[in-house]
């Protein structure tokens, strides 16, 4: 059985004071030690150590990006080796904001290279994919998602997939209040799993966790979690609120 996983992506938000207060609230939830769920919080680089000191010990930390290779003369970048060195085991890569914001525009190839390098240096990766609204309306949902995942598959060895969680995030549903219906989300997850079986192999398809992101809240998480190919969530704004605990509890719907 695939272990349920809930990621919280704080994005470019937070202060030491906010993190102190939020971690105190999140610490009130029941322990997940020994349960069929894991939680990973994506904190801004600056607050990784501070978050780790304040966050409950049964939850893990991720950073939200990393450089394509080894460190060096790359001003402003963070290498996978640095992330590993401070005791962080996860990184979020390929988020739609990094793929689509005009100031960033990371290509499929760049995201794939980053992912391979992070895995080679001992990190686990939440690899994001997802289509824009105009791509969905043009009937290109799977074309886009398969293209993004195919760039990754071209870089990975079969064993590498054990370090990858695929986060399907329809861009039109991120931070908009719109959410793919459980049926829409399940359809894409099921097709992504079928694609993995064909493009990589059936074992990888069966074992890889595919999680949903896109305006997940404490109100819709239970229904989404009941779908067989939805293995958890990557949560944005709602992860900055105490009600994130209710989203973590969605693992109980499995």
């Amino acid at each position: 059985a695939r272990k349920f996983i809930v990621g919280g992506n704080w994005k470019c938000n937070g202060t030491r004071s906010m993190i102190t207060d939020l971690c105190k609230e999140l610490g009130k939830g029941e322990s997940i030690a020994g349960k069929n769920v894991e939680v990973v919080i994506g904190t801004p680089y600056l607050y990784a150590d501070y978050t780790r000191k304040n966050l409950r010990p049964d939850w893990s930390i991720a950073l939200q990006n990393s450089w394509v290779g080894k460190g060096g003369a790359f001003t402003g970048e963070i290498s996978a080796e640095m992330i590993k060195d401070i005791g962080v085991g996860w990184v979020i890569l390929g988020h739609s904001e990094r793929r689509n914001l005009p100031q960033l525009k990371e290509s499929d190839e760049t995201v794939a290279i980053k992912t391979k390098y992070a895995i080679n240096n001992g990190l686990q990766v939440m690899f994001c994919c997802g289509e824009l609204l105009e791509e969905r309306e043009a009937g290109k949902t799977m074309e886009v998602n398969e293209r993004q995942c195919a760039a990754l598959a071209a870089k990975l060895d079969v064993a590498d997939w054990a370090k990858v969680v695929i986060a399907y995030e329809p861009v039109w549903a991120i931070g908009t209040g719109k959410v793919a219906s459980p049926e829409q989300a399940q359809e894409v997850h099921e097709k992504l799993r079928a694609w993995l079986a064909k493009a990589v192999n059936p074992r990888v398809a069966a074992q890889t966790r595919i999680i949903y992101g896109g305006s997940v809240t404490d109100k819709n998480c239970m229904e989404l979690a009941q779908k067989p190919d939805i293995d958890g969530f990557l949560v944005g704004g709602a992860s900055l609120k105490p009600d994130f605990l209710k989203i973590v509890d969605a693992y109980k719907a499995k």
Side-chain angles (χ1 to χ4, degrees):
R2 297 182 295 270
K3 191 172 188 176
F4 205 78
I5 181 168
V6 180
N9 183 9
W10 289 355
K11 304 188 180 183
C12 188
N13 292 294
T15 62
R16 287 164 66 94
S17 175
M18 186 219 80
I19 291 168
T20 300
D21 293 343
L22 180 58
C23 286
K24 188 176 296 183
E25 290 298 314
L26 295 176
K28 295 176 181 178
E30 64 183 44
S31 172
I32 63 169
K35 305 291 179 60
N36 190 39
V37 61
E38 62 183 309
V39 180
V40 182
I41 297 296
T43 179
Y45 296 124
L46 286 173
Y47 298 124
D49 280 339
Y50 190 77
T51 301
R52 180 65 283 165
K53 290 173 183 175
N54 286 273
L55 189 68
R56 46 191 293 173
D58 55 335
W59 290 12
S60 299
I61 297 285
L63 292 190
Q64 300 171 17
N65 187 38
S66 62
W67 178 235
V68 295
K70 189 176 181 179
F74 309 109
T75 301
E77 293 296 332
I78 306 292
S79 71
E81 292 93 337
M82 291 174 175
I83 298 173
K84 187 72 174 177
D85 184 58
I86 63 170
V88 172
W90 285 87
V91 64
I92 300 169
L93 295 174
H95 192 279
S96 64
E97 289 153 5
R98 298 205 62 87
R99 291 182 186 270
N100 295 302
L101 285 176
Q103 299 89 341
L104 299 171
K105 280 289 185 181
E106 292 185 1
S107 67
D108 296 344
E109 175 82 357
T110 294
V111 176
I113 292 170
K114 286 185 175 187
T115 301
K116 175 61 174 174
Y117 192 82
I119 290 170
N120 284 355
N121 283 276
L123 298 179
Q124 298 185 80
V125 178
M126 287 191 177
F127 173 87
C128 303
C129 63
E131 78 281 4
L132 299 166
L133 178 60
E134 55 265 35
E135 292 168 334
R136 172 169 278 270
E137 291 177 341
K140 296 181 177 180
T141 292
M142 291 315 301
E143 177 184 331
V144 171
N145 284 284
E146 290 177 7
R147 186 199 75 221
Q148 292 171 348
C149 290
L152 179 62
K155 302 294 182 187
L156 299 190
D157 299 323
V158 170
D160 293 333
W161 285 96
K163 297 288 187 180
V164 175
V165 170
I166 295 175
Y168 167 60
E169 297 196 308
V171 183
W172 48 272
I174 298 174
T176 62
K178 297 179 181 179
V179 61
S181 69
E183 292 72 27
Q184 287 175 314
Q186 165 60 23
E187 179 184 16
V188 176
H189 282 231
E190 184 178 17
K191 288 181 177 179
L192 278 173
R193 203 173 300 286
W195 179 86
L196 277 173
K198 181 179 179 181
V200 186
N201 68 47
R203 181 179 61 80
V204 165
Q207 294 177 352
T208 299
R209 292 177 289 182
I210 305 175
I211 63 179
Y212 174 76
S215 297
V216 176
T217 69
D218 59 303
K219 303 296 191 297
N220 58 31
C221 60
M222 285 292 184
E223 190 177 5
L224 285 161
Q226 291 172 13
K227 295 300 181 182
D229 289 294
I230 297 179
D231 302 315
F233 307 112
L234 182 55
V235 182
S239 68
L240 294 163
K241 303 173 183 178
D243 280 346
F244 182 66
L245 288 169
K246 297 178 182 177
I247 300 175
V248 172
D249 279 346
Y251 80 93
K252 297 174 182 177
K254 281 298 186 187

